[in-house]
Amino acid sequence: ALVVAVALAVGAASVLDRWKSGVVAANLALSERAARQLVADSAEFLAQAPLSDPDGDPDGDPDDDPAGDPRRADLPRDVLDRRLAEISDLSFAAHRGAKGGFWLPHLQEFLGYADPASPPPKPAFGPPPRSYRIILDQVLESIREETAITRLHQFDPAIFTLATVPVQREGRVVAVVWARVHIEREMPAWKLGRYLQAAAGLTLFGFLVVLVVTVNQRREIRSLNAGLRTIQEDPAFRLPGRSGMYGTIRRSINAMVDSLEQAHQERKALEARLHQRAKMEALGKLLAGMAHEVKTPLAILKTRVQIWQRDLARFSARTGHESPLSDDSLQIVLDEINRLSDLVTKLLYFSRPHDPESMKPQDINDLLRHTVLLVKPRLLQQKTDVDLDLAAEAPSVLGDAGPLHQIFLNLLTNSLQAMGRHGRLAVSTRTDRTAGVVRVEVRDTGPGIAPDIMDQVFDPFFTTRHGGTGMGLSIAYEIVRAHRGEIRFVAPDDGRGAHCVVTLPLHPRTEEPA
């Protein structure tokens, strides 16, 4: 459409330019014909008229002797003007639109002005002030060059053609005939042509601008499409920055992808928690039934073994004979029964609802100090350093002291088992009053947890330690959940060891720090 518009504008401008040239040429010819006709019509009068300068010098030449010259009888100026105007009026009447008159060098004045087409009152003496200088300059040039001149002149708002023809007598220029034709009324299209040319130029410039913008837009859109395809294949990819409008679009897309990625991660975490909770609930129901069924036979077995142990000891004392079963072997049986009973007790955590009456305000800092004190012998044995960084305002939570203590004991025990000797253990608490939670963080310098198994560490019976039951973290998870909290492992800042974060809700009556 732009190309067609430019072509039409250029074509129209070209047609108008040719039309303008034709109008100008026609009126130049008209001006020249009118001027030469006036020269012919005034030839007889100018040949007989006494033309001299104000000092009496004929023809305005001071070197001539005027004595005895029959033309010394000068005509009065007004008579001369009237006679010349009559000649001009009759001559220009045959040339539609022509107007003009005479320039008399000996008077240095325009006389004999006629404009047949002008309604009365007609101008008295000649050119109006705005065109006076233009006409006079061309008249003087014709005198200097002693030749006829025809030109186009223009000033806002006038456009006219002007012809000047010198009249000679006895080798001297005694008058200059001038004729002009105003054509500004015929030139609206001329101005329109200039406007069309300007419009064509502007349109072409606009087309080039639109072309550049379109090419840039197509390049940017292709880049955006390629970037979006890359994001589909690699969600971690982000569009490179740009300036301007497309930079804003790219930043908006990156922000949207970040938001979607965050929502996706949160959904995955929620799904993992729901899946974990569903597994725990199903497993809890199964284990609860099994635990109740196994606990009674284990108690009976333990009682029987203890009776056998006592009876064999009495038999040996009464008879003096050695017991057929050693006390050590019976003790092994008792130890295994005790281990199974302890395992059954742990399994009951998955089904036993917490007792609301046991939920009381608990000082987390005190619980952690007590837990560290319990594992202190092992810390000394393994030559492990411990850093306690506890919140100054003593955060309080509503919970059961025993299960809460079990959480931290399991975490510290796991860290000590993973580190071995000469490790470092860091325990910290932080209070977030805005979120209404307290965060307990446990860090160690052990081998850490591989990313591919981090979502399995809370599954029952999942363990990477030889001889482990895989119940400690599962129990800790259930206890934290029963206290409306959250437990999770995160990637360590320095990439070393394990980093566990336990989040528990603050007790509503926890005092604000001073």
Side-chain angles (χ1 to χ4, degrees):
L2 287 172
V3 172
V4 172
V6 170
L8 289 175
V10 172
S14 177
V15 171
L16 288 172
D17 190 62
R18 289 196 297 272
W19 175 85
K20 179 191 72 173
S21 299
V23 170
V24 170
N27 283 279
L28 286 171
L30 175 61
S31 299
E32 185 173 356
R33 286 198 306 272
R36 292 192 181 278
Q37 183 65 46
L38 182 56
V39 169
D41 292 343
S42 62
E44 183 178 354
F45 176 79
L46 293 176
Q48 298 176 359
L51 302 177
S52 63
D53 61 18
D55 296 328
D57 185 15
D59 304 328
D61 187 350
D63 296 330
D64 289 342
D65 181 8
D69 194 326
R71 293 170 295 182
R72 288 200 52 192
D74 295 335
L75 290 175
R77 179 184 175 285
D78 56 339
V79 175
L80 181 62
D81 179 56
R82 185 173 63 254
R83 296 289 303 276
L84 291 174
E86 291 172 354
I87 297 172
S88 300
D89 194 57
L90 290 173
S91 182
F92 288 148
H95 300 85
R96 184 177 180 82
K99 62 186 72 175
F102 298 85
W103 166 262
L104 300 181
H106 74 286
L107 296 178
Q108 296 290 302
E109 189 174 359
F110 287 100
L111 293 179
Y113 180 74
D115 183 2
S118 175
K122 297 183 178 181
F125 296 111
R130 297 189 65 183
S131 56
Y132 184 93
R133 188 73 248 178
I134 296 174
I135 298 174
L136 179 59
D137 288 343
Q138 186 169 323
V139 165
L140 296 178
E141 185 177 353
S142 287
I143 294 175
R144 288 194 304 271
E145 300 295 332
E146 296 185 355
T147 185
I149 299 174
T150 305
R151 287 181 184 156
L152 176 70
H153 297 279
Q154 180 178 357
F155 63 87
D156 191 24
I159 305 173
F160 60 91
T161 56
L162 175 64
T164 53
V165 180
V167 178
Q168 294 187 351
R169 192 171 69 186
E170 298 178 359
R172 299 180 183 276
V173 176
V174 296
V176 178
V177 171
W178 63 276
R180 69 171 176 171
V181 178
H182 279 271
I183 60 174
E184 62 267 10
R185 293 182 181 179
E186 301 182 47
M187 289 289 110
W190 188 355
K191 296 182 180 180
L192 178 61
R194 286 182 292 177
Y195 295 148
L196 285 174
Q197 289 176 344
L202 290 175
T203 304
L204 181 59
F205 175 75
F207 171 73
L208 294 176
V209 171
V210 170
L211 181 63
V212 171
V213 171
T214 302
V215 171
N216 182 64
Q217 286 180 339
R218 293 188 63 183
R219 183 173 63 250
E220 290 291 344
I221 290 173
R222 286 197 297 268
S223 177
L224 285 174
N225 288 335
L228 291 174
R229 287 193 296 269
T230 304
I231 290 176
Q232 288 180 337
E233 299 171 357
D234 180 13
F237 177 78
R238 293 296 179 269
L239 298 174
R242 290 283 195 279
S243 59
M245 177 182 67
Y246 286 98
T248 302
I249 294 175
R250 287 169 176 267
R251 289 190 293 272
S252 299
I253 291 175
N254 288 340
M256 180 185 66
V257 174
D258 289 339
S259 178
L260 292 175
E261 181 65 19
Q262 182 180 358
H264 177 67
Q265 295 299 330
E266 292 176 353
R267 186 178 70 252
K268 285 181 61 178
L270 178 60
E271 290 175 350
R273 290 196 296 271
L274 292 175
H275 181 63
Q276 180 73 14
R277 181 172 298 179
K279 287 194 300 184
M280 292 299 182
E281 289 177 354
L283 185 61
K285 292 178 182 179
L286 175 63
L287 295 180
M290 292 180 60
H292 285 293
E293 294 296 327
V294 172
K295 191 171 185 179
T296 300
L298 285 178
I300 294 173
L301 286 174
K302 181 177 180 180
T303 302
R304 288 297 182 185
V305 171
Q306 288 175 336
I307 292 173
W308 292 342
Q309 190 178 30
R310 184 192 63 193
D311 289 346
L312 289 173
R314 289 178 179 176
F315 173 77
S316 298
R318 187 173 62 250
T319 62
H321 293 89
E322 185 178 353
S323 171
L325 295 174
S326 66
D327 189 63
D328 291 339
S329 62
L330 291 175
Q331 188 60 44
I332 291 173
V333 175
L334 288 175
D335 290 342
E336 291 301 313
I337 291 174
N338 287 333
R339 191 175 69 83
L340 291 174
S341 296
D342 183 61
L343 179 59
V344 170
T345 301
K346 291 181 179 180
L347 292 177
L348 290 177
Y349 273 111
F350 293 97
S351 61
R352 183 179 62 191
H354 67 273
D355 184 3
E357 296 183 358
S358 65
M359 305 291 280
K360 299 177 182 179
Q362 306 292 338
D363 187 336
I364 291 295
N365 288 350
D366 286 345
L367 285 173
L368 288 170
R369 292 189 189 97
H370 181 63
T371 305
V372 172
L373 187 61
L374 287 178
V375 298
K376 188 172 183 179
R378 187 159 185 176
L379 292 170
L380 296 174
Q381 180 184 1
Q382 294 185 192
K383 297 183 179 180
T384 299
D385 297 328
V386 60
D387 296 328
L388 276 177
D389 182 13
L390 305 181
E393 64 271 20
S396 177
V397 300
L398 188 65
D400 190 340
L404 290 175
H405 171 71
Q406 186 67 39
I407 296 172
F408 305 128
L409 182 60
N410 287 352
L411 292 176
L412 296 183
T413 301
N414 283 354
S415 293
L416 288 171
Q417 291 172 346
M419 287 189 295
R421 296 173 63 84
H422 303 290
R424 178 172 288 277
L425 189 63
V427 181
S428 64
T429 58
R430 292 291 181 270
T431 302
D432 188 343
R433 300 283 177 182
T434 303
V437 297
V438 58
R439 292 185 178 87
V440 181
E441 300 188 22
V442 179
R443 298 180 179 87
D444 62 47
T445 56
I449 301 174
D452 56 338
I453 64 170
M454 194 169 287
D455 58 348
Q456 305 178 53
V457 294
F458 297 113
D459 291 347
F461 307 113
F462 179 82
T463 181
T464 57
R465 182 173 57 86
H466 179 70
T469 62
M471 296 300 296
L473 290 178
S474 300
I475 292 172
Y477 179 89
E478 286 300 312
I479 296 173
V480 171
R481 187 174 68 87
H483 285 75
R484 298 181 293 111
E486 180 186 28
I487 180 171
R488 59 194 175 94
F489 282 90
V490 298
D493 295 336
D494 57 1
R496 298 175 53 196
H499 183 184
C500 183
V501 180
V502 178
T503 305
L504 296 169
L506 283 169
H507 184 249
R509 293 192 298 272
T510 299
E511 296 182 358
E512 294 288 341

